[in-house]
Amino acid sequence: ELFKTRFNIKPANKYLTGYKGVVNLALLGQWQNTLTQFGDLTYSIYKNGLDNTVKAILEKKDITTKELGITSIGYEFTEVLDVYKMVDTVFKYSGFRRVDQFGKETVLNSTIKSFQKQLNNNKLSIRNENFLNALLPQMISSKEQIIKDLKNNNITDDIKFLAFARLLDVQPVSPSNMTPEQMKSLSFRLFTVLKSFTIKHIDIVRKEGLDDIVQGIDLVKEKRTEEGRKLFFKGVNQLALLATIFTTINTGTDTIKDLISGKEIYLDDIITNNLWKFITLSRYQVEYVKGIDQKIANYIMPPIPYLTSLEKDRKSFQKWLEDGEKDFGETLRNIESIRYIPLVGQTVYYRY
């Protein structure tokens, strides 16, 4: 059933595609979001180690996205309407596409370096051992040959597949990363606009910690206390490590964004917001959106950036026209819609 669904994905209609394109231009078409992309290094560091990630950044690349035929940021960005040509142009000049490629190639190459380092020490980690064993049925060579190729830095198709599989583990670059609901339902796909990376993050958190925690609790209930405690704390420790890396890297990128944008920097607020982001929320949703119903709606509704700001600006101009007392220059400076002009909107809004 899943196989049939995967190869019979319902195509998006032009209205949904156009809406997605406008949202991408408004929310991702700023250079600040290019810096946000560096947050994806979280998963390379967590999965493959800081040392291997640094080496993958600094040393010559063994595998490139071009070699693997990866031409898009993610499966959400593979539409063909004219608006997506504009999105692609904006992503090019904002640096978004280049930094995304950098992040993907870092994961690919740090994966190879992680395996090679462990094999040179004659011991694969449990994580990498299990990962390789799970992929063997889909590989051409034997396990012994793959290990030999890794040690000799012989980048065969199997080695490329190994690295690509690790990338699929942390980024939604293929339709295979879509949920069955996204494949079948246009309505569900509408509600997941710009949420594919969030869905993937939730999946990572589940696999890396939540599953072990839940299984540990179940084992304790079955009177297998010691086994359950070990599994429970393994999950807690892995989530703590992932959250620490995630918060550290994203706090750094957010601080740099605020500094360049001319915004006042409140480090405590930035750290708090990134802790909330780790569980896919935001400080704004938690502290400023009132009522549980509004919080849920804010979380699940597809983004409509232009409409909200345009309505607020309309009311501001209407008030200026009606009372005539408010300074027009101040009204002009407070226009929110300018934030969504591709490339320069946020810079102009916060600096001027």
Side-chain angles (χ1 to χ4, degrees):
E1 181 64 29
L2 184 61
F3 184 83
K4 288 167 61 178
T5 302
R6 162 64 180 84
F7 288 98
N8 289 279
I9 299 174
K10 191 172 183 180
N13 60 50
K14 63 180 181 180
Y15 302 107
L16 174 58
T17 301
Y19 163 72
K20 287 168 60 181
V22 170
V23 170
N24 288 332
L25 284 172
L27 297 183
L28 299 183
Q30 309 290 334
W31 63 262
Q32 287 89 342
N33 287 299
T34 298
L35 292 178
T36 301
Q37 289 292 92
F38 285 104
D40 289 346
L41 292 176
T42 294
Y43 308 110
S44 177
I45 295 171
Y46 176 77
K47 293 274 190 179
N48 301 320
L50 177 60
D51 56 340
N52 295 311
T53 298
V54 172
K55 287 179 182 179
I57 293 171
L58 299 178
E59 296 178 0
K60 181 182 177 182
K61 304 291 186 288
D62 292 315
I63 303 176
T64 65
T65 52
K66 185 177 180 180
E67 285 180 74
L68 299 181
I70 302 172
T71 57
S72 67
I73 294 167
Y75 63 74
E76 261 196 272
F77 304 90
T78 54
E79 311 291 354
V80 294
L81 288 188
D82 287 343
V83 68
Y84 265 83
K85 295 178 182 177
M86 189 184 303
V87 171
D88 196 57
T89 300
V90 169
F91 281 179
K92 175 183 176 181
Y93 288 106
S94 69
F96 193 94
R97 181 173 293 283
R98 183 67 189 92
V99 174
D100 177 75
Q101 179 186 351
F102 163 81
K104 286 178 169 58
E105 290 184 350
T106 299
V107 173
L108 293 168
N109 288 278
S110 65
T111 297
I112 301 305
K113 294 184 185 301
S114 171
F115 273 87
Q116 289 174 333
K117 180 181 178 180
Q118 291 174 13
L119 288 171
N120 287 335
N121 292 325
N122 299 314
K123 181 65 175 177
L124 282 178
S125 66
I126 295 174
R127 180 199 300 278
N128 281 347
E129 182 81 41
N130 291 340
F131 187 70
L132 177 57
N133 288 338
L135 295 175
L136 284 175
Q138 303 167 66
M139 291 176 157
I140 300 170
S141 303
S142 66
K143 184 176 182 179
E144 291 73 21
Q145 183 60 47
I146 291 168
I147 289 174
K148 182 178 178 181
D149 288 335
L150 281 165
K151 286 182 175 181
N152 294 329
N153 199 36
N154 182 22
I155 309 302
T156 64
D157 286 344
D158 280 334
I159 305 305
K160 292 176 183 178
F161 177 67
L162 176 72
F164 181 64
R166 175 60 52 86
L167 180 62
L168 289 180
D169 252 4
V170 299
Q171 287 196 26
V173 296
S174 162
S176 300
N177 290 117
M178 294 173 71
T179 66
E181 289 75 17
Q182 284 175 296
M183 297 182 199
K184 295 176 183 177
S185 170
L186 288 179
S187 299
F188 191 85
R189 218 176 300 170
L190 174 64
F191 279 91
T192 57
V193 169
L194 290 188
K195 291 185 172 70
S196 58
F197 281 81
T198 300
I199 292 171
K200 173 52 71 174
H201 175 74
I202 292 171
D203 186 52
I204 293 169
V205 169
R206 177 186 64 80
K207 288 179 179 178
E208 295 301 323
L210 292 182
D211 283 351
D212 286 341
I213 290 171
V214 171
Q215 289 174 28
I217 292 171
D218 289 341
L219 287 173
V220 170
K221 289 179 180 178
E222 295 172 6
K223 308 301 182 184
R224 296 160 64 183
T225 306
E226 189 60 31
E227 188 181 350
R229 279 169 52 87
K230 285 181 179 179
L231 198 57
F232 177 86
F233 285 110
K234 175 190 171 188
V236 170
N237 289 336
Q238 289 183 164
L239 282 186
L241 175 61
L242 181 58
T244 300
I245 299 170
F246 179 94
T247 304
T248 301
I249 291 181
N250 285 285
T251 294
T253 57
D254 286 350
T255 301
I256 294 171
K257 285 188 321 187
D258 288 353
L259 184 66
I260 297 175
S261 297
K263 297 167 66 176
E264 289 191 50
I265 296 173
Y266 300 99
L267 192 57
D268 288 350
D269 289 347
I270 295 173
I271 293 172
T272 300
N273 190 48
N274 279 297
L275 287 170
W276 282 118
K277 277 166 62 178
F278 180 73
I279 57 172
T280 72
L281 295 173
S282 71
R283 185 166 171 262
Y284 170 78
Q285 289 170 325
V286 175
E287 297 183 13
Y288 298 104
V289 178
K290 304 300 181 183
I292 188 65
D293 55 336
Q294 291 298 313
K295 290 179 187 291
I296 293 172
N298 183 272
Y299 185 78
I300 67 173
M301 288 295 290
I304 46 173
Y306 283 121
L307 298 183
T308 304
S309 293
L310 283 171
E311 177 60 16
K312 189 172 182 179
D313 293 341
R314 184 194 66 78
K315 289 179 179 179
S316 179
F317 274 107
Q318 184 177 1
K319 186 176 180 181
W320 174 77
L321 288 171
E322 289 175 352
D323 57 35
E325 296 179 2
K326 191 175 181 181
D327 178 52
F328 180 69
E330 183 183 347
T331 301
L332 202 60
R333 283 192 296 274
N334 290 328
I335 294 176
E336 283 197 8
S337 307
I338 200 172
R339 295 169 58 189
Y340 303 112
I341 297 175
L343 299 176
V344 299
Q346 287 193 27
T347 304
V348 172
Y349 178 76
Y350 286 113
R351 281 201 171 271
Y352 305 102

